[in-house]
Amino acid sequence: MADHRVLCWDCGKDVENPYADVCPSCGGLLTIKINLEPLKAMKPKDLKMPLGVWRYAALMPVDASKRISIQEGGTPLYRCDALGKEIGVENTWVKYEGANPTGSFKDRGMTIGVSRAAEIGAKIVGCASTGNTSASLAAYAAKAGMKCAVFLPSGKVAAGKLAQAVFFGAKVISVDGNFDDALKIARDLSEERSLYLLNSINPYRPEGQKSVLFEIMDQLAFDVPDRIILPVGNAANIWAVYKAIIELEEIGWIDKIPMLTGIQAEGSMPVTRAFESKSSDFTAEENPETVATAIRIGNPVSGRKALKAIYGTGGYSVSVTDDEILSAQKLLGRKEGVGVEPASAASVAGAKKLREMGVIDKNERVVCICTGNALKDPDIMISSCEPPIRCSKDLSEIKRILSL
């Protein structure tokens, strides 16, 4: 376990309350400061565990010997030649987070978050969620033997994600309101210490999410790519990747910074709007709407951190339409055999759009992080594709349909 402190990201003060999700002094966001000095003597060859979150235990702020784990991480990094040729960036890679145990990148943060909850003796964990967070938390709470409460915005959650939360035994409460309303309820209960909150505002969650960057570097033999592209919803993931980059640079494992590029849906784009106006803060959007439910968030908790990550790496942010997202989803599936949910496809859609805009050079090496499995949102996938063709049992009719 890395020696660490919980600090306010805004005012820099230490925060001792283990249930705090914001600074008690200024209300600022929290972050974790790892003491990297002891790690500077380490080299990548010293990592002994198989690929996965806990391979990087030395950079994690919880006790690995008491971890709550269901073998998260270790996801494929695909070299996508056919996709790259289609979008005009031949050296294109896809980090497929849909291969995590519950089908999304959230498992990386949840193994660390629930392990932390166990460390402090929490009996109940909870979250507000548009889907993937609830599915992941419910699974890890079950593994830890904890009770789990999930607050969902009414009518705004994909069936595949809701099914997981219910299946793993969470108490699921549908709130009459949007995601932000659901999160307020969860945070109020956390302030009372009625539950340990594990939304991405929790400073331990992004620590686990750092591991996706560590793995990408591992899989590329620490030959740093030019650009990493991520979907941006609540924005903790792009911040976690940025934090991981800075930590690896400080301990001397990398000597180059990839450009972090955040993609939002056109109907939910507060971070992109801020980037377009060159602002370090964003304006929340009411009633965000997009087919990409996992990034349908108008007031991202880590929005300012996302902007710091983008500006700090010379990156970029752009929005894509729902049609561009669904087109990219099918393109990835039909060119590479990789199935992702709509929000995940935003990174591919963004890569295509930015190449067309001339922001991405054709010779760049680009990694698109695809955050969730296609089966997270099967209704959208089915409705955007051609329906099954009905025909008789006549073999000649089937041959005609198949052009045989």
Side-chain angles (χ1 to χ4, degrees):
M1 176 176 69
D3 179 31
H4 69 281
R5 298 153 59 202
V6 179
L7 304 175
C8 175
W9 188 66
D10 289 289
C11 73
K13 288 186 179 179
D14 286 270
V15 176
E16 302 295 339
N17 177 4
Y19 281 80
D21 55 48
V22 294
C23 175
S25 298
C26 73
L29 299 172
L30 303 184
T31 191
I32 287 178
K33 176 67 175 175
I34 301 288
N35 178 13
L36 296 173
E37 283 302 317
L39 304 178
K40 291 180 179 179
M42 282 185 65
K43 300 297 178 187
K45 63 181 177 62
D46 297 324
L47 301 172
K48 302 301 183 183
M49 290 184 67
L51 202 66
V53 174
W54 293 97
R55 174 175 171 83
Y56 312 101
L59 285 150
M60 297 296 168
V62 293
D63 185 351
S65 69
K66 299 176 182 177
R67 60 186 177 269
I68 308 298
S69 173
I70 45 179
Q71 298 185 35
E72 51 293 314
T75 58
L77 178 66
Y78 296 121
R79 171 71 184 255
C80 295
D81 292 334
L83 175 68
K85 186 174 182 181
E86 191 74 23
I87 67 176
V89 184
E90 292 192 12
N91 201 344
T92 295
W93 301 71
V94 166
K95 180 63 168 169
Y96 179 52
E97 290 293 273
N100 273 295
T102 75
S104 89
F105 77 99
K106 298 294 177 80
D107 294 347
R108 293 182 181 275
M110 218 54 80
T111 185
I112 298 297
V114 174
S115 295
R116 173 60 178 168
E119 276 186 350
I120 67 171
K123 304 300 181 186
I124 304 175
V125 290
C127 69
S129 176
T130 56
N132 283 330
T133 297
S134 63
S136 183
L137 179 58
Y140 282 84
K143 178 68 174 178
M146 295 177 182
K147 293 180 179 179
C148 177
V150 169
F151 303 92
L152 306 178
S154 180
K156 296 292 186 180
V157 179
K161 303 170 187 179
L162 177 59
Q164 287 178 284
V166 174
F167 176 77
F168 291 124
K171 182 75 73 175
V172 178
I173 300 169
S174 181
V175 176
D176 185 13
N178 60 22
F179 173 82
D180 300 317
D181 298 319
L183 179 59
K184 184 179 185 307
I185 291 170
R187 291 182 69 183
D188 287 345
L189 291 171
S190 176
E191 285 181 13
E192 298 174 359
R193 299 200 178 196
S194 296
L195 57 77
Y196 184 72
L197 183 67
L198 275 166
N199 277 93
S200 59
I201 196 170
N202 179 300
Y204 286 84
R205 273 269 312 276
E207 293 299 301
Q209 289 166 218
K210 292 188 312 189
S211 62
V212 70
L213 183 280
F214 298 154
E215 281 187 13
I216 289 168
M217 296 304 174
D218 238 340
Q219 290 166 312
L220 294 176
F222 288 85
D223 185 6
V224 182
D226 297 298
R227 187 181 302 268
I228 298 176
I229 306 178
L230 304 92
V232 173
N234 222 11
N237 214 26
I238 193 168
W239 164 252
V241 169
Y242 174 70
K243 191 172 188 293
I245 289 168
I246 297 306
E247 289 176 357
L248 288 192
E249 184 186 39
E250 188 171 336
I251 64 175
W253 288 14
I254 60 174
D255 57 7
K256 172 185 169 183
I257 300 294
M259 294 174 281
L260 294 186
T261 301
I263 311 300
Q264 294 208 284
E266 196 173 77
S268 181
M269 51 179 286
V271 172
T272 297
R273 288 189 200 279
F275 176 80
E276 290 172 346
S277 64
K278 300 181 180 178
S279 175
S280 60
D281 202 355
F282 66 93
T283 300
E285 297 179 358
E286 293 186 10
N287 304 315
E289 192 55 56
T290 171
V291 70
T293 56
I295 55 173
R296 185 165 52 194
I297 297 171
N299 187 21
V301 168
S302 298
R304 288 188 298 124
K305 289 181 174 180
L307 289 163
K308 170 68 174 176
I310 293 165
Y311 295 137
T313 59
Y316 208 88
S317 183
V318 74
S319 68
V320 288
T321 67
D322 280 359
D323 285 346
E324 287 170 329
I325 287 170
L326 295 176
S327 177
Q329 183 188 32
K330 283 188 274 192
L331 186 65
L332 180 58
R334 294 174 184 182
K335 291 294 182 181
E336 301 291 349
V338 178
V340 302
E341 67 171 313
S344 298
S347 60
V348 176
K352 185 174 186 295
K353 185 169 186 174
L354 290 171
R355 175 68 193 112
E356 291 167 353
M357 292 168 59
V359 174
I360 294 179
D361 185 82
K362 66 179 182 179
N363 296 317
E364 284 185 29
R365 183 164 55 156
V366 173
V367 176
C368 294
I369 296 180
C370 290
T371 46
N373 193 292
L375 296 179
K376 289 286 190 171
D377 207 339
D379 293 341
I380 293 295
M381 183 168 58
I382 291 169
S383 66
S384 69
C385 296
E386 294 180 6
I389 301 169
R390 294 197 65 178
C391 69
S392 69
K393 293 182 285 186
D394 182 70
L395 187 60
S396 62
E397 172 68 4
I398 292 171
K399 285 184 175 181
R400 183 190 66 77
I401 293 169
L402 295 176
S403 299
L404 296 175

